[in-house]
PDB file of all heavy atoms in Angstrom:
ATOM      1  N   PRO J1128       0.777  43.993  25.458  1.00 96.00           N
ATOM      2  CA  PRO J1128       1.949  43.113  25.590  1.00 96.00           C
ATOM      3  C   PRO J1128       3.135  43.875  26.180  1.00 96.00           C
ATOM      4  O   PRO J1128       3.292  45.079  25.957  1.00 96.00           O
ATOM      5  CB  PRO J1128       2.226  42.681  24.147  1.00 96.00           C
ATOM      6  CG  PRO J1128       1.587  43.731  23.294  1.00 96.00           C
ATOM      7  CD  PRO J1128       0.380  44.201  24.045  1.00 96.00           C
ATOM      8  N   ARG J1129       3.947  43.166  26.913  1.00 96.00           N
ATOM      9  CA  ARG J1129       5.086  43.783  27.602  1.00 96.00           C
ATOM     10  C   ARG J1129       6.313  43.804  26.693  1.00 96.00           C
ATOM     11  O   ARG J1129       7.316  43.121  26.937  1.00 96.00           O
ATOM     12  CB  ARG J1129       5.367  43.023  28.894  1.00 96.00           C
ATOM     13  CG  ARG J1129       4.191  43.032  29.854  1.00 96.00           C
ATOM     14  CD  ARG J1129       4.347  42.036  30.977  1.00 96.00           C
ATOM     15  NE  ARG J1129       3.189  42.047  31.873  1.00 96.00           N
ATOM     16  CZ  ARG J1129       2.948  41.128  32.810  1.00 96.00           C
ATOM     17  NH1 ARG J1129       3.807  40.128  32.982  1.00 96.00           N
ATOM     18  NH2 ARG J1129       1.879  41.213  33.568  1.00 96.00           N
ATOM     19  N   CYS J1130       6.237  44.605  25.670  1.00 96.00           N
ATOM     20  CA  CYS J1130       7.304  44.649  24.662  1.00 96.00           C
ATOM     21  C   CYS J1130       8.612  45.185  25.225  1.00 96.00           C
ATOM     22  O   CYS J1130       9.693  44.798  24.761  1.00 96.00           O
ATOM     23  CB  CYS J1130       6.865  45.494  23.464  1.00 96.00           C
ATOM     24  SG  CYS J1130       5.431  44.825  22.579  1.00 96.00           S
ATOM     25  N   GLN J1131       8.533  46.084  26.208  1.00 95.00           N
ATOM     26  CA  GLN J1131       9.751  46.654  26.773  1.00 95.00           C
ATOM     27  C   GLN J1131      10.595  45.596  27.473  1.00 95.00           C
ATOM     28  O   GLN J1131      11.822  45.705  27.543  1.00 95.00           O
ATOM     29  CB  GLN J1131       9.392  47.776  27.766  1.00 95.00           C
ATOM     30  CG  GLN J1131       8.676  48.959  27.135  1.00 95.00           C
ATOM     31  CD  GLN J1131       9.524  49.680  26.101  1.00 95.00           C
ATOM     32  OE1 GLN J1131      10.747  49.726  26.223  1.00 95.00           O
ATOM     33  NE2 GLN J1131       8.884  50.233  25.080  1.00 95.00           N
ATOM     34  N   ALA J1132       9.950  44.546  27.973  1.00 96.00           N
ATOM     35  CA  ALA J1132      10.675  43.494  28.681  1.00 96.00           C
ATOM     36  C   ALA J1132      10.985  42.299  27.777  1.00 96.00           C
ATOM     37  O   ALA J1132      11.548  41.311  28.250  1.00 96.00           O
ATOM     38  CB  ALA J1132       9.853  43.020  29.874  1.00 96.00           C
ATOM     39  N   CYS J1133      10.647  42.403  26.517  1.00 97.00           N
ATOM     40  CA  CYS J1133      10.806  41.273  25.596  1.00 97.00           C
ATOM     41  C   CYS J1133      12.144  41.343  24.864  1.00 97.00           C
ATOM     42  O   CYS J1133      12.520  42.395  24.327  1.00 97.00           O
ATOM     43  CB  CYS J1133       9.668  41.247  24.576  1.00 97.00           C
ATOM     44  SG  CYS J1133       9.754  39.865  23.416  1.00 97.00           S
ATOM     45  N   LEU J1134      12.849  40.239  24.836  1.00 97.00           N
ATOM     46  CA  LEU J1134      14.137  40.189  24.138  1.00 97.00           C
ATOM     47  C   LEU J1134      13.980  40.282  22.623  1.00 97.00           C
ATOM     48  O   LEU J1134      14.952  40.541  21.912  1.00 97.00           O
ATOM     49  CB  LEU J1134      14.871  38.891  24.492  1.00 97.00           C
ATOM     50  CG  LEU J1134      15.238  38.679  25.970  1.00 97.00           C
ATOM     51  CD1 LEU J1134      15.947  37.340  26.151  1.00 97.00           C
ATOM     52  CD2 LEU J1134      16.115  39.821  26.467  1.00 97.00           C
ATOM     53  N   ASN J1135      12.780  40.081  22.148  1.00 97.00           N
ATOM     54  CA  ASN J1135      12.532  40.148  20.703  1.00 97.00           C
ATOM     55  C   ASN J1135      11.995  41.497  20.248  1.00 97.00           C
ATOM     56  O   ASN J1135      11.527  41.625  19.119  1.00 97.00           O
ATOM     57  CB  ASN J1135      11.528  39.058  20.291  1.00 97.00           C
ATOM     58  CG  ASN J1135      12.172  37.691  20.221  1.00 97.00           C
ATOM     59  OD1 ASN J1135      13.338  37.566  19.870  1.00 97.00           O
ATOM     60  ND2 ASN J1135      11.409  36.673  20.567  1.00 97.00           N
ATOM     61  N   GLN J1136      12.081  42.486  21.091  1.00 96.00           N
ATOM     62  CA  GLN J1136      11.502  43.783  20.748  1.00 96.00           C
ATOM     63  C   GLN J1136      12.044  44.318  19.422  1.00 96.00           C
ATOM     64  O   GLN J1136      11.293  44.824  18.590  1.00 96.00           O
ATOM     65  CB  GLN J1136      11.758  44.796  21.861  1.00 96.00           C
ATOM     66  CG  GLN J1136      11.107  46.165  21.590  1.00 96.00           C
ATOM     67  CD  GLN J1136      11.367  47.170  22.705  1.00 96.00           C
ATOM     68  OE1 GLN J1136      12.222  46.925  23.564  1.00 96.00           O
ATOM     69  NE2 GLN J1136      10.650  48.272  22.703  1.00 96.00           N
ATOM     70  N   ALA J1137      13.361  44.206  19.228  1.00 96.00           N
ATOM     71  CA  ALA J1137      13.964  44.731  17.996  1.00 96.00           C
ATOM     72  C   ALA J1137      13.699  43.829  16.791  1.00 96.00           C
ATOM     73  O   ALA J1137      13.855  44.272  15.649  1.00 96.00           O
ATOM     74  CB  ALA J1137      15.467  44.903  18.194  1.00 96.00           C
ATOM     75  N   LEU J1138      13.295  42.584  17.034  1.00 96.00           N
ATOM     76  CA  LEU J1138      13.081  41.629  15.943  1.00 96.00           C
ATOM     77  C   LEU J1138      11.609  41.393  15.644  1.00 96.00           C
ATOM     78  O   LEU J1138      11.292  40.702  14.675  1.00 96.00           O
ATOM     79  CB  LEU J1138      13.741  40.273  16.280  1.00 96.00           C
ATOM     80  CG  LEU J1138      15.242  40.280  16.519  1.00 96.00           C
ATOM     81  CD1 LEU J1138      15.705  38.890  16.948  1.00 96.00           C
ATOM     82  CD2 LEU J1138      15.985  40.718  15.267  1.00 96.00           C
ATOM     83  N   CYS J1139      10.742  41.933  16.452  1.00 97.00           N
ATOM     84  CA  CYS J1139       9.301  41.668  16.308  1.00 97.00           C
ATOM     85  C   CYS J1139       8.635  42.752  15.456  1.00 97.00           C
ATOM     86  O   CYS J1139       8.643  43.933  15.823  1.00 97.00           O
ATOM     87  CB  CYS J1139       8.637  41.619  17.688  1.00 97.00           C
ATOM     88  SG  CYS J1139       6.866  41.352  17.608  1.00 97.00           S
TER      89      CYS J1139
END
Side-chain angles (χ1 to χ4, degrees):
R1129 300 167 181 168
C1130 297
Q1131 297 297 328
C1133 181
L1134 298 179
N1135 283 327
Q1136 183 180 13
L1138 300 175
C1139 178

